[in-house]
Amino acid sequence: MTLIFSGNDFKYELEGVMKLFIPAQLFTHIYTDRAAKCSGDYAFIRRRICRKHTLLYVYCSVNGNAAGLAERIPSDTENFDNKCELILSILLFKAMTKLTGVKAKWGIITGVRPVKRVNSLISQGMSKSQIYDTLQNEYLVSAEKCDIAYMTAMTQENIIKKLSDKTFSLYISIPFCPTRCSYCSFVSQSIENCKSLIPEYIDNLCREIGYTASLVNKIGLKLDTVYFGGGTPTALSEQRLSKLMDAVSSSFDMSGVREYTVEAGRPDTITHEKLDMLKRNGCTRLSVNPQSLNDSVLEAIGRKHTAKQFTDSYRLAANTGFGSVNTDIIAGLPGDTYESFKATVDGLIALGPENITVHTLSIKRAARLNQSDNKRSILKNNAGEMVDYASKRLLESGYRPYYLYRQKNMLENLENIGWAKPGFESLYNIYIMEEIQTIIALGAGGSTKLVDLDNRRLERIFNYKFPLEYNKHFDLMLERKNKIEEFYAEKE
Ligand code: SF4
């Protein structure tokens, strides 16, 4: 597909709109200052600025069918470029909806965090009906997605209000898993392949924990939440995981910690002994993820456990007495059907975890699934109906959406939604999605976000991505952590 830009370079936003209709595709870009067309599928996007008026014009040709739309605005319009970009996005969206029949329910909102937009409308003093009006008429968002985004913002409101300054969350990355799932694009590696790296990785991570604690203690930052993620932290042995948790509790002041999550994503890594150890070391929230309760789907995505193993592990976790258990599922997995997805949702609700996170499959470039022959059939499965069913059943069962985000190349441009029973929302998930608290990330692939809400500053510090590089360049990475001190010195 070719995108031809004439008199504008709104490539980022407009390509984002095109991807809603033609996902997982590479686009060719042409820039010209006159009218143009080309062979094959293309979209011609033009802005012609004249003295008094500006013409905004879109013409799309897809599979031999064509649609064109135009609008004129005064050339002295306030925020001229932004307004032009918005109108061209709307025209392109309408033309592509007509040509493809795809109903993109988030309208022209293409970013990762749609709730941020709602929060910003709330902070401008808009009422609920004004917010709905803006979302539906300006951004073309469907009524269902307005409801979800608004409910999410409302759930977050109280939690955000209670957030105090000078607090931070700690993320510890364990990028190892028993095997690699076919849809995975994380840095996570099979534990079997990385055996030799792990002892050094654990030692370095303990050093990084100690060094970071000395920095934040000096600044006076208070630890609020802890999150062990990955990967699958419970893929580590009980001794290694316990060593890391000890390093955290002996280095940081844990007295203000309100939430301590450990991802035990793969049920086949959970044992009674490990759960007891996690509880003893302060874990208050555990994530056990079936992804599907259909054994043939689990096999197709390369997970080496069955639905029964998940249920057994879930019960073990629930009986250990963590304050909250989360379970993740994915809509649109290869081989899954609407009926089998419904059974997964119903089965999970019957178990009654405090959190259920409903993801939509995203076909990432780095995932094995992206190379598979059945990619086209996956793009056509009914993920949208699956997500709608999950939302309806979860609302009826007393769950409320509390965080929401989107990723690139998600089926039908849908979203991931965290659902929680009231009072069991994960603080960490809200903080990271809404970028309202500093998150210090340690370990391979860790990306620290330093947040200064008062001065609207956000800075990142990246760790090396893979465990091998992490071990090799460890001292350089520790040095980068000194930026934390510089950032807070500037804030004062
Ligand atoms: S469990 Fe998660 S991190 Fe591990 S391979 Fe599967 S998708 Fe990737």
Side-chain angles (χ1 to χ4, degrees):
M1 178 103 195
T2 307
L3 303 182
I4 309 169
F5 297 93
S6 168
N8 74 89
D9 59 355
F10 303 131
K11 175 185 160 212
Y12 182 78
E13 194 58 34
L14 297 175
E15 184 173 305
V17 172
M18 286 305 286
K19 282 183 178 163
L20 308 178
F21 300 93
I22 310 181
Q25 245 220 33
L26 287 178
F27 293 89
T28 306
H29 308 97
I30 296 176
Y31 295 90
T32 171
D33 44 14
R34 55 179 65 121
K37 60 182 181 177
C38 65
S39 56
D41 293 345
Y42 72 93
F44 172 61
I45 300 151
R46 183 165 208 201
R47 173 170 72 168
R48 215 172 112 216
I49 306 175
C50 298
R51 202 166 50 83
K52 276 198 168 164
H53 286 100
T54 292
L55 177 73
L56 299 163
Y57 173 67
V58 159
Y59 182 87
C60 304
S61 173
V62 177
N63 293 331
N65 297 314
L69 288 167
E71 195 170 320
R72 230 160 57 126
I73 60 167
S75 297
D76 59 356
T77 299
E78 216 179 303
N79 283 328
F80 180 64
D81 275 342
N82 290 347
K83 193 75 188 165
C84 291
E85 188 182 59
L86 180 69
I87 292 173
L88 284 171
S89 298
I90 292 171
L91 297 177
L92 192 59
F93 184 92
K94 288 183 174 167
M96 288 303 290
T97 303
K98 191 170 167 200
L99 286 178
T100 61
V102 171
K103 291 189 175 49
K105 292 187 177 177
W106 283 103
I108 58 165
I109 298 186
T110 55
V112 173
R113 301 176 172 84
V115 180
K116 255 193 169 181
R117 202 162 303 219
V118 180
N119 283 331
S120 124
L121 299 178
I122 293 173
S123 67
Q124 289 167 35
M126 282 196 189
S127 65
K128 182 178 175 182
S129 67
Q130 286 171 319
I131 292 171
Y132 271 57
D133 197 46
T134 308
L135 291 177
Q136 288 180 305
N137 297 325
E138 271 189 40
Y139 298 111
L140 312 178
V141 179
S142 73
E144 306 100 279
K145 297 302 176 199
C146 282
D147 283 341
I148 293 281
Y150 189 75
M151 270 191 275
T152 306
M154 288 294 103
T155 315
Q156 290 182 354
E157 201 180 28
N158 281 332
I159 294 169
I160 295 175
K161 259 189 224 150
K162 287 183 198 149
L163 185 60
S164 47
D165 197 22
K166 279 229 159 180
T167 58
F168 75 103
S169 289
L170 184 69
Y171 179 85
I172 314 269
S173 166
I174 312 293
F176 309 110
C177 285
T179 54
R180 203 164 149 82
C181 306
S182 65
Y183 55 85
C184 184
S185 63
F186 298 134
V187 293
S188 186
Q189 301 185 344
S190 139
I191 201 150
E192 199 50 43
N193 295 344
C194 309
K195 255 188 196 158
S196 58
L197 294 174
I198 292 177
E200 192 185 346
Y201 184 81
I202 301 289
D203 286 345
N204 283 334
L205 196 44
C206 287
R207 276 180 62 202
E208 195 184 6
I209 290 168
Y211 186 74
T212 309
S214 67
L215 289 176
V216 300
N217 292 341
K218 215 188 309 172
I219 302 166
L221 289 182
K222 284 286 253 175
L223 183 55
D224 187 9
T225 80
V226 180
Y227 197 106
F228 270 75
T232 308
T234 45
L236 293 177
S237 68
E238 195 188 323
Q239 293 69 21
R240 288 194 169 125
L241 193 49
S242 166
K243 182 174 172 180
L244 289 171
M245 291 177 88
D246 277 347
V248 170
S249 50
S250 58
S251 309
F252 291 94
D253 172 5
M254 305 294 282
S255 61
V257 173
R258 295 189 292 159
E259 179 182 284
Y260 194 138
T261 301
V262 177
E263 284 187 357
R266 300 280 283 259
D268 42 340
T269 61
I270 294 177
T271 61
H272 184 53
E273 293 72 25
K274 258 185 217 176
L275 294 180
D276 277 348
M277 180 280 290
L278 296 179
K279 177 115 196 291
R280 271 199 316 278
N281 280 290
C283 169
T284 60
R285 181 173 179 272
L286 194 82
S287 197
V288 191
N289 303 326
Q291 311 304 10
S292 165
L293 294 182
N294 178 325
D295 284 345
S296 56
V297 174
L298 289 173
E299 200 183 328
I301 59 174
R303 290 179 70 102
K304 299 269 179 273
H305 65 84
T306 60
K308 173 157 186 329
Q309 258 176 305
F310 159 74
T311 314
D312 292 346
S313 303
Y314 172 82
R315 292 214 166 96
L316 208 55
N319 292 335
T320 307
F322 298 101
S324 177
V325 178
N326 171 66
T327 56
D328 281 3
I329 53 173
I330 303 177
L333 284 172
D336 209 0
T337 62
Y338 179 61
E339 289 307 320
S340 123
F341 184 78
K342 270 169 76 176
T344 294
V345 171
D346 295 343
L348 271 190
I349 290 175
L351 288 173
E354 285 73 20
N355 296 175
I356 297 181
T357 310
V358 182
H359 293 260
T360 301
L361 184 67
S362 142
I363 304 186
K364 298 277 185 61
R365 240 179 327 146
R368 262 189 292 139
L369 198 61
N370 197 26
Q371 274 91 48
S372 73
D373 296 340
N374 59 356
K375 182 174 137 188
R376 282 211 170 273
S377 68
I378 295 165
L379 288 174
K380 286 190 176 6
N381 76 15
N382 41 8
E385 284 174 36
M386 295 179 182
V387 169
D388 287 347
Y389 178 79
S391 300
K392 183 175 150 288
R393 283 285 290 121
L394 285 159
L395 276 171
E396 283 166 4
S397 311
Y399 291 84
R400 294 289 169 265
Y402 77 96
Y403 84 105
L404 189 163
Y405 68 102
R406 293 156 74 210
Q407 292 164 285
K408 275 189 190 157
N409 300 326
M410 294 186 92
L411 297 180
E412 299 182 32
N413 180 37
L414 291 160
E415 69 285 316
N416 300 325
I417 306 180
W419 295 83
K421 292 182 177 171
F424 290 96
E425 299 82 12
S426 159
L427 303 176
Y428 175 86
N429 286 334
I430 296 176
Y431 298 160
I432 191 147
M433 271 315 130
E434 299 310 310
E435 299 180 318
I436 49 175
Q437 190 192 53
T438 286
I439 306 227
I440 300 181
L442 313 182
S447 157
T448 294
K449 270 189 207 170
L450 303 169
V451 177
D452 172 1
L453 290 178
D454 296 337
N455 302 304
R456 293 170 178 249
R457 281 194 312 147
L458 193 151
E459 273 182 36
R460 293 171 204 270
I461 308 171
F462 295 103
N463 275 8
Y464 282 94
K465 208 168 169 187
F466 296 101
L468 184 67
E469 298 167 286
Y470 174 85
N471 283 344
K472 204 165 154 198
H473 305 290
F474 183 72
D475 291 330
L476 184 63
M477 233 177 30
L478 269 199
E479 231 178 274
R480 287 186 191 165
K481 284 279 176 303
N482 294 337
K483 273 198 198 156
I484 300 174
E485 230 183 324
E486 290 161 25
F487 181 86
Y488 280 94
E490 276 175 44
K491 181 172 156 47
E492 287 314 316

